[in-house]
Amino acid sequence: MDKKLTKINTIIIALLVIEIMLSMIFMSTFNIFQHMLLVQIVPSILLAILIGRIAYGKKLYWIYIILGSIIYTALMYVLITNTPMSVIENNTVQSNTSVFEFNKNIRFITYLGFFIQEFLIASFVFLIIKVIRKIKEGRF
């Protein structure tokens, strides 16, 4: 595989950047489902595809997957700290007797979960790419 950035990888990077920028701009108007989809799920999938494509064909592919997972975790930190509390509070159903206190002080274990999630998704994408390329080459 070439060392240069392929056209598909460039398109994925552009989609990821545009999606994150638009999410940051319109985040305050999202309901909780739009927030989960556009701020957490879509970037996770796009980044996993990008990580898997970049890691394929490299000798130390696990390092690429680990670094990509760290980047995703840092991205989630930035996005969560910039999420308006109204997105969470206004979209949570509560009874009159319940008392919930929302804050953005998320513990380390949550970010470890983000890291593991992205690591597993990117590894799965890497495996799919590897299997598809072996089938195309007739070595499967």
Side-chain angles (χ1 to χ4, degrees), residues 87-105:
V87 170
I88 299 168
E89 290 173 344
N90 294 340
N91 291 290
T92 304
V93 178
Q94 299 179 25
S95 69
N96 293 335
T97 58
S98 65
V99 177
F100 288 105
E101 184 176 316
F102 296 100
N103 62 45
K104 294 182 190 178
N105 297 329

Side-chain angles (χ1 to χ4, degrees), residues 3 26 28-29 34 36-37 39-41 49 61 67 83 88 95-97 99 101 110 115-116 123 126 139:
K3 296 203 185 269
F26 297 110
S28 61
T29 62
Q34 291 168 330
M36 291 295 291
L37 180 67
V39 177
Q40 293 180 336
I41 295 172
I49 292 169
Y61 59 91
L67 289 175
T83 300
I88 299 168
S95 69
N96 293 335
T97 58
V99 177
E101 184 176 316
T110 302
F115 173 81
I116 292 169
S123 298
F126 173 81
R139 297 186 311 151

